[in-house]
Amino acid sequence: MAENPNSGRSENAGDKAREEFFSEAQEIVDGLSRDLLSLDEVSRRGGSDAELVNDVFRAVHTLKGLSGLFGAAMMSGLSHELENLLDDLRLGRIELTSPVLDLLFQSVELYARILAAAKGDAPEPASEVKALLIALGQVSQQREGGGSVIARYELDPGLLGVLTEYEEHRLRTNLQLGLSLFRMRVHFPLSSIDSSLDDLKSKTRPLGEIITFLPTGEGGDTESVELEIFVASREALGTLRSVITGSNIVIEEVRHRDVTLSAPSAAAEGHAAPMSVQEHIDDAHSNRAPTAPPAAHLLGDAAFHLSHGVRASTNPDKRARADGELTLRSVTQTVRVDIRKLDSLMDIVSALAIVRSQVARLAERVRLEPGQSQLATDLHRLHRSFDRHLEQMQNGILEVRMVPLGQIFDKLARIVRQVSREYDKQVNLVITGAETEIDKLIVEELSDPLMHMIRNAIDHGIEDRDERMRVGKPPVGTIAVNAFQKGNHVVVEVEDDGKGIDPQLIVSTAVRRGILTDAEARESNEREILNLVFQPGFTTRNEATSLSGRGVGMDVVRTNIGKLGGVVDIASEIGIGTKMTIVLPITLAIISALLVEVCGRTFCMPLASVEEAIVFDETQVRTFEGREVMNQRGATLPLARLDKVFELDGVRPGVWNSDAFGAMPTPSAVRSGNKANQLGGYVVIAKVADRRVGFVVDRLIGQQDIVIKALGKTLEKVRGFAGATELDGQRVGLVIDAASLISEILSNTSDTRDIRDTRDARFADASAVAGSLPGSVSEGVYQPSRAT
Amino acid sequence: MPDGQSISRRVGELGKRVEVLAFSLWPEAYAIMIGNIAEILKPLPITEVPRSGPEIVGVMSVRGRLVTVLDLKQRFKLARTFSFDNRSRILLVDVRGEQIGLLVDEVLGVYRLADHEIEPPTVMGSEHPPYIIGIGHPLGGTVLMLLDLAPLFSSSMG
C-alpha cells in the first residue's frame, strides 16, 4: 500500500479549516444580528450610534475576507454589496432608515441560510440573494444625491482624500454635532517629537477631539517636521489659542464654505460631496475587493491605517487599531472544539468512574484483611484523591460544553422583529436570564421550538394595537422570555400579555377535529384542555398563515423538547396572557442516576427527575378510574409498576438477564416473580415539570454518575429509554427517559376511556394468568401501548 | 444490491473465488460475505431491551460502544428462544451505518466459494426471501445460505 500518506491528512486539515470557517462565520453572523438589533433600537429612538455601524461594517468585512478565502462566492458577493451599503452608512452618505435596516436584517437571514447551504443542510438561497443584491444596489444609487457635511467646510479635497475612513467618520460626526473644526500647524523638532506631541495632545484633549495628524510636507527640514493637526472642539478659537501655546504652533479655524456660521443641520445637507472624496472611497473599495488580503479580516480597518505611512503612533484611530488587536488576541485565546471530542473525553471519565468504584471495593477488601491496616489507609487515601480529581475533571468537561442561552435569544429577537412587522403588531421582547448556561447540544435543539412558540405568541396571543387599546392594555405587546436554573434543570418561560387561550374554543375545535369526544370534554380539566394544543394537527385557525396556524408546530415543539429530556407545559388566562414553560436538563453528557432493580434487571433513573424514593406499601394502593394511585403526604400520586410498564413479568421468553450472566444464562422465567409484593419494593417518585409518577421497583441499588449513549437506529422506535450506559463489569444498563414515561403514563389515563372495552378483555386475561397474585386485579389495568 | 447474478459476477471479479464466513443457526448453515464482518466476539453480557421486537436480544457494550444484538434464529423462525453455549458467537457487522451484533450458534469457518459452487437463489422457488442471494455448496458438503445484510435489515426493522 504505497498511498501518499499526506493526501489524507491534508484533506483532513482542509476539512478542519472549513469547519473552523463555518463556526467562525456563524459567530460573526450571530454578532452581526445582535448589533443590528441594538442599532434598530437606537434608530427607533431617533438616535444613531457610529460605533455600532462600525462594528457591523467590520463584521461584514471580516465575513467577506473569510468567504473569499474559502471560495464561498455567494457569501462573498453578498458581503461585498453589503459592505458598500454599510460604508455609505458609516460615511453618512445614506441614512439609517427602516427599509435599510430591513435589508440588513434580511442579509443576516441570508447569511445563515448560505452557511446552512454550504454545510449541505439546505439548498442555496440563490434567488433570494440575487433579489437582495438588487435591493442593495438600489439603495446605493439613492445616495448619489446625498451630500456630505464635510463638503461644507473649506477643506482641501486632496487632504480629505488621505483621511482614513474612520477619521473621516469622526470628522463628520463631530461636525454634525455642531462642533467647530480647527487646523493646527505645528513645527516639531524630530529629536523631541514624541514628548512634544504627547504634551500637545494632553493640552488639546480637554478641549476637543484630535481627528488626525498629517505631515504637511512643508516647512520641515532634516531636523524637524511640520504636522497639520485637525481638532474638533466646542471651544472658541481664542480659548484654544490661549491653552495650546508655543512659538511653533499656529491655530486657525476651518471655515464654512457658505456664509451661515450656525451649526450645520442635517436638513441643510444638500450639497454634493466633492468628487475627489467619492473617487477616493470608490478606489478604496475596488482595491479591497474582491480578494482582501488574508490579514485584512483580522485587522479590520487597522490594515488600512497602516498604509498611511508617517503618522504619530498614538492618534484617534488608536481605538480602531486596538479593536483589531483585541480580535487577534481573542482568536489566540479561544479554542473551538468539536463536541464529539468532548463526548469521547466524557467516555474516558465514565470509564475512570468504573475504575474508581473497583478501587473502592479493593480498598474495602484490604481493610477487612487482618494486619493490612496501613495499606488499607493508603489505598483509601489514594481512592479519595482519585475521586476528587475525577470529579473536577468531569465538571471541567461539562463546563466547556456549557453555553449561555443568550446565543439563541438573539435569534429570537430577530424573529420577533420580523414576525411582528408581518402581522403589523407591536411587540416588545423582554429577555431575562440570557446568561443561564446549558449544554451546547441542547441549545442547538432548543432554537426551533422556541421560535415556534414566539411565532405562536405573536400570531395567536398578542392582539393588534387597536384591540389592545380597546381593552385598556398598553398598545405595545410584551413577550417575556425568562430563563433560570432550577436544580439540575433549566427552565425557559415564554410569556405573552396577549388575549390568552379560551378553553371553550379549544374544546370545540378538538371535538370538531375528533381529538376529543364530548364525554371526554366534560371530564377534562382546564389544564388538560390547554395541553391539547400540543396534539398533532391541532389548530384553532381556519386559514393558515405563512408563519403559524397550520396545525404543525406545537406538537413538534413538544416532541423536540421531549427528545432533549425536557417537558413543555402551558398555562393561560383569558385576557391576561399565555405562559409556556419548558423544563430541560442542564446536560445530556453525564448525569447522576439512581440505579434500581426490577425483575433482576438494572435500570438507571436520571436523578434530576427523581424527587424521592419511599418504601412501597401494597396496602396503600388505591385505584382511581382504573388507575393505581397512592396517597403521598396528602397528594395523589399515580403509580406505575415498572415490571408492567416494561412487560418484564415473564411475558417474553428467552430474555437474558444481565444479572444472570455467567457460564450458564438463566432464563428469566425462573427469576421472575412478583418480588415487589414479596419484598415490598420501593416507589421512586419521578417528577418532570410538575407532573409526578411513582415508579414501583424491586430494589434500590445506589447512585452513580453515568454517560448516556444513544441506542442504535435499530432500537430508535423503542420508547421510554433515553439511552444506555456502561455499568461496571461490562454490563449495560438502560437509562429510563422519565419525561416520556411520565407523559405516556399520564396520557394513558385519558386513553382509558377510549379503549375501556378492549382493556376489559385484556384485563380479564391478565387476572386469569396472574391467578392468585394479590393486587393483580388492579395491575391488569395499565397496559403500555407498544411503541412500534 | 447483489442478486444471484451479481454474486456470480463478483466471484468472477475476485478471481473465481468469493470469501464467506459460514456459521450455523442450528440446524441450518448460513454465510455472509467476509467483508461485512467487522469482528467475531465471544458472548458478552447482554442487556435485554424491554418493548423492543422479538428479534432483538438486547444491547451490549463493545469497548465502550453500544451494540444492538439480534437473534437471527428468531428472524428465520428457526427457534422461539435463543440459547448460549461455549460455541456461541456474536458477529459484529456493519449495516446501515450502525454496528449490529448477530447471535449465532457456531462459527463454521471461512469458505472460498468458486463460481460453480454457488447456485442462484431461484432454486428455492421464485418467492425466495430478498436477503438470500445464493446457495453455496463448498467441498465439505455443507449447504450454505448466502445472506445479504441490507435487505435483511430493511425488511425486519423498517
Side-chain angles (χ1 to χ4, degrees):
Chain A
M1 292 288 154
E3 273 188 35
N4 180 7
N6 291 324
S7 67
R9 198 178 306 154
S10 70
E11 200 168 85
N12 283 344
D15 282 356
K16 198 172 168 187
R18 223 177 137 72
E19 252 171 52
E20 270 174 22
F21 158 60
F22 282 137
S23 56
E24 185 170 356
Q26 189 64 54
E27 263 173 39
I28 295 168
V29 171
D30 290 349
L32 197 59
S33 162
R34 261 195 304 277
D35 289 343
L36 283 182
L37 284 165
S38 317
L39 209 54
D40 181 40
E41 218 178 296
V42 171
S43 84
R44 263 190 297 174
R45 285 200 306 265
S48 71
D49 187 332
E51 242 345 276
L52 265 175
V53 177
N54 265 344
D55 286 346
V56 173
F57 178 82
R58 269 184 222 120
V60 170
H61 186 67
T62 308
L63 273 177
K64 193 171 97 173
L66 274 178
S67 50
L69 281 175
F70 281 87
M74 194 176 274
M75 183 181 284
S76 170
L78 176 59
S79 305
H80 181 61
E81 276 303 319
L82 212 52
E83 200 180 58
N84 288 348
L85 172 77
L86 285 163
D87 213 36
D88 288 346
L89 273 177
R90 263 157 60 94
L91 305 178
R93 275 177 260 149
I94 57 169
E95 271 185 69
L96 186 64
T97 54
S98 193
V100 172
L101 260 172
D102 281 348
L103 284 178
L104 293 175
F105 274 108
Q106 268 179 42
S107 328
V108 171
E109 205 72 50
L110 280 178
Y111 272 132
R113 287 176 58 187
I114 292 172
L115 275 176
K119 275 190 255 185
D121 296 347
E124 284 204 330
S127 58
E128 287 93 335
V129 169
K130 208 171 157 191
L132 184 67
L133 287 182
I134 291 168
L136 285 173
Q138 282 167 350
V139 172
S140 313
Q141 275 170 11
Q142 284 165 13
R143 73 149 202 246
E144 301 301 335
S148 164
V149 65
I150 297 173
R152 305 172 66 231
Y153 284 80
E154 284 181 346
L155 284 171
D156 175 10
L159 186 140
L160 260 185
V162 297
L163 289 183
T164 66
E165 286 167 282
Y166 182 75
E167 287 163 352
E168 194 182 329
H169 158 73
R170 290 312 305 158
L171 177 62
R172 181 186 319 279
T173 308
N174 278 307
L175 294 183
Q176 272 168 350
L177 289 171
L179 272 67
S180 308
L181 184 65
F182 300 95
R183 182 193 290 119
M184 288 197 261
R185 278 174 180 265
V186 191
H187 212 79
F188 287 111
L190 282 175
S191 54
S192 63
I193 183 165
D194 284 347
S195 57
S196 311
L197 202 55
D198 283 344
D199 183 47
L200 182 72
K201 273 188 287 187
S202 61
K203 278 182 188 163
T204 314
R205 198 160 288 139
L207 300 170
E209 180 180 337
I210 297 176
I211 304 289
T212 187
F213 300 77
L214 297 167
T216 59
E218 307 164 4
D221 50 40
T222 48
E223 264 90 49
S224 66
V225 64
E226 191 183 59
L227 293 185
E228 198 171 39
I229 304 172
F230 285 91
V231 180
S233 168
R234 289 190 191 282
E235 307 297 332
L237 182 61
T239 318
L240 258 74
R241 278 184 173 154
S242 66
V243 176
I244 307 165
T245 50
S247 60
N248 54 343
I249 303 175
V250 181
I251 308 178
E252 57 188 46
E253 184 168 358
V254 182
R255 278 196 297 273
H256 291 238
R257 283 188 203 279
D258 50 8
V259 273
T260 29
L261 282 168
S262 65
S265 70
E269 277 184 64
H271 300 260
M275 271 322 284
S276 60
V277 178
Q278 290 288 351
E279 273 163 12
H280 162 70
I281 290 161
D282 290 345
D283 282 347
H285 285 163
S286 52
N287 287 342
R288 272 177 289 156
T291 46
H297 76 271
L298 292 175
L299 289 167
D301 290 346
F304 300 99
H305 297 167
L306 295 176
S307 66
H308 278 283
V310 187
R311 180 77 55 87
S313 64
T314 46
N315 58 20
D317 66 43
K318 185 178 169 194
R319 202 196 123 96
R321 194 176 304 203
D323 282 356
E325 282 163 6
L326 267 181
T327 319
L328 267 180
R329 205 169 299 137
S330 67
V331 163
T332 55
Q333 284 181 352
T334 315
V335 180
R336 287 202 186 81
V337 184
D338 187 324
I339 200 142
R340 281 170 295 191
K341 287 187 184 161
L342 293 179
D343 281 345
S344 71
L345 279 183
M346 213 45 141
D347 280 350
I348 298 171
V349 168
S350 78
L352 286 176
I354 292 168
V355 173
R356 176 187 59 188
S357 58
Q358 284 162 346
V359 172
R361 271 202 297 276
L362 206 60
E364 187 60 21
R365 253 171 55 196
V366 173
R367 197 178 63 83
L368 298 173
E369 288 291 308
Q372 297 283 3
S373 68
Q374 185 54 44
L375 186 59
T377 316
D378 289 352
L379 205 52
H380 180 66
R381 196 173 298 138
L382 211 59
H383 170 250
R384 279 245 307 272
S385 152
F386 183 42
D387 190 31
R388 205 168 46 245
H389 288 118
L390 190 61
E391 192 180 326
Q392 283 169 357
M393 186 164 155
Q394 180 181 316
N395 289 341
I397 297 173
L398 278 184
E399 211 168 285
V400 172
R401 298 173 63 99
M402 293 294 170
V403 292
L405 273 169
Q407 275 192 358
I408 47 168
F409 288 176
D410 294 334
K411 280 187 209 154
L412 292 185
R414 218 163 66 215
I415 291 291
V416 167
R417 186 179 186 275
Q418 178 196 339
V419 178
S420 58
R421 282 171 72 93
E422 248 159 272
Y423 286 105
D424 200 22
K425 290 176 181 176
Q426 283 171 299
V427 181
N428 202 4
L429 181 71
V430 182
I431 288 172
T432 54
E435 72 287 351
T436 312
E437 291 198 323
I438 195 162
D439 194 292
K440 171 83 178 162
L441 283 182
I442 300 181
V443 161
E444 302 277 297
E445 298 301 317
L446 192 59
S447 130
D448 278 357
L450 270 180
M451 225 145 79
H452 258 307
M453 289 162 80
I454 296 264
R455 284 181 165 163
N456 263 298
I458 298 174
D459 184 10
H460 301 286
I462 304 285
E463 312 90 332
D464 59 35
R465 192 188 173 90
D466 295 346
E467 174 65 15
R468 291 183 68 89
M469 303 277 258
R470 202 180 58 76
V471 298
K473 283 183 181 179
V476 177
T478 300
I479 291 179
V481 177
N482 312 314
F484 53 91
Q485 191 177 337
K486 195 174 170 189
N488 280 327
H489 285 105
V490 165
V491 181
V492 183
E493 298 172 341
V494 177
E495 196 171 1
D496 66 65
D497 67 344
K499 57 178 177 282
I501 300 175
D502 182 356
Q504 285 315 310
L505 187 63
I506 292 189
V507 167
S508 59
T509 311
V511 170
R512 197 171 64 241
R513 291 183 187 269
I515 296 171
L516 206 66
T517 65
D518 284 332
E520 282 169 344
R522 276 191 299 277
E523 284 176 36
S524 302
N525 62 31
E526 184 173 320
R527 183 171 170 183
E528 285 167 350
I529 290 169
L530 284 177
N531 271 285
L532 287 173
V533 300
F534 296 113
Q535 290 287 327
F538 185 88
T539 175
T540 54
R541 279 279 172 91
N542 287 323
E543 86 283 9
T545 69
S546 69
L547 294 158
S548 55
R550 278 170 298 194
V552 293
M554 291 318 280
D555 64 314
V556 176
V557 165
R558 170 171 275 184
T559 314
N560 287 352
I561 303 269
K563 276 188 199 150
L564 300 173
V567 288
V568 56
D569 202 7
I570 184 169
S572 183
E573 214 167 319
I574 300 175
I576 306 291
T578 304
K579 176 161 141 185
M580 305 235 198
T581 309
I582 302 174
V583 182
L584 290 160
I586 282 188
T587 182
L588 300 173
I590 190 161
I591 59 162
S592 292
L594 178 69
L595 271 53
V596 300
E597 189 181 290
V598 185
C599 286
R601 287 90 160 167
T602 304
F603 293 99
C604 309
M605 191 84 112
L607 214 56
S609 38
V610 173
E611 198 174 60
E612 62 177 317
I614 55 175
V615 174
F616 180 51
D617 181 357
E618 191 75 54
T619 62
Q620 294 287 306
V621 178
R622 301 281 174 270
T623 58
F624 176 70
E625 288 193 328
R627 295 265 309 122
E628 280 190 300
V629 297
M630 63 175 268
N631 195 312
Q632 191 237 353
R633 291 195 212 111
T636 301
L637 178 71
L639 287 181
R641 294 174 194 256
L642 269 190
D643 55 344
K644 292 286 182 294
V645 175
F646 291 153
E647 299 172 357
L648 299 176
D649 208 15
V651 173
R652 262 162 43 108
V655 283
W656 187 18
N657 294 338
S658 49
D659 255 18
F661 178 73
M664 286 294 290
T666 321
S668 79
V670 176
R671 297 181 55 92
S672 73
N674 215 327
K675 276 193 290 181
N677 294 333
Q678 290 153 14
L679 304 173
Y682 291 86
V683 179
V684 178
I685 302 175
K687 178 178 172 182
V688 179
D690 52 357
R691 313 207 293 176
R692 292 163 14 117
V693 166
F695 290 103
V696 181
V697 302
D698 296 343
R699 198 161 72 85
L700 304 179
I701 298 172
Q703 190 185 325
Q704 192 172 319
D705 284 346
I706 56 166
V707 173
I708 304 186
K709 290 169 188 168
L711 295 173
K713 260 187 261 171
T714 319
L715 294 171
E716 67 185 354
K717 285 181 181 164
V718 178
R719 297 254 174 108
F721 300 104
T725 189
E726 194 172 339
L727 304 170
D728 51 348
Q730 262 201 326
R731 280 188 316 147
V732 172
L734 290 166
V735 182
I736 287 171
D737 179 355
S740 96
L741 269 192
I742 287 178
S743 59
E744 174 188 311
I745 284 155
L746 293 185
S747 69
N748 266 33
T749 316
S750 52
D751 285 352
T752 316
R753 289 187 286 266
D754 297 320
I755 53 168
R756 188 157 287 162
D757 288 351
T758 48
R759 181 153 299 174
D760 284 345
R762 299 182 67 174
F763 172 46
D765 274 346
S767 39
V769 172
S772 61
L773 286 177
S776 62
V777 170
S778 51
E779 278 169 25
V781 173
Y782 172 66
Q783 292 287 339
S785 52
R786 275 191 74 91
T788 29
Chain B
M1 284 299 111
D3 51 18
Q5 281 75 45
S6 76
I7 198 162
S8 308
R9 226 180 8 250
R10 220 183 294 176
V11 168
E13 285 160 11
L14 292 170
K16 304 284 179 207
R17 293 277 170 180
V18 57
E19 279 192 324
V20 296
L21 183 87
F23 54 90
S24 83
L25 297 174
W26 198 87
E28 298 178 356
Y30 290 81
I32 301 176
M33 305 283 282
I34 204 134
N36 288 326
I37 313 268
E39 203 170 338
I40 301 170
L41 299 164
K42 289 192 172 181
L44 297 162
I46 302 176
T47 300
E48 148 202 26
V49 180
R51 305 168 152 205
S52 57
E55 301 165 354
I56 288 165
V57 182
V59 287
M60 64 177 183
S61 172
V62 182
R63 287 184 293 278
R65 212 176 47 235
L66 218 53
V67 172
T68 306
V69 183
L70 297 184
D71 177 15
L72 281 184
K73 285 171 90 171
Q74 180 89 32
R75 180 84 173 92
F76 299 148
K77 310 226 168 13
L78 295 170
R80 292 188 52 218
T81 63
F82 56 85
S83 58
F84 291 93
D85 58 31
N86 52 17
R87 282 180 301 187
S88 298
R89 293 291 181 272
I90 293 166
L91 310 181
L92 270 193
V93 295
D94 289 303
V95 185
R96 299 188 301 172
E98 184 188 355
Q99 277 208 344
I100 287 181
L102 302 177
L103 186 61
V104 303
D105 288 336
E106 188 181 356
V107 169
L108 300 173
V110 175
Y111 287 88
R112 299 182 70 217
L113 298 178
D115 199 6
H116 66 269
E117 290 173 322
I118 299 172
E119 277 186 293
T122 43
V123 296
M124 293 177 63
S126 55
E127 293 289 300
H128 71 273
Y131 48 81
I132 302 283
I133 52 171
I135 295 162
H137 297 276
L139 277 174
T142 324
V143 177
L144 300 174
M145 301 283 188
L146 303 182
L147 290 178
D148 185 19
L149 294 173
L152 188 64
F153 288 96
S154 61
S155 56
S156 73
M157 310 303 144

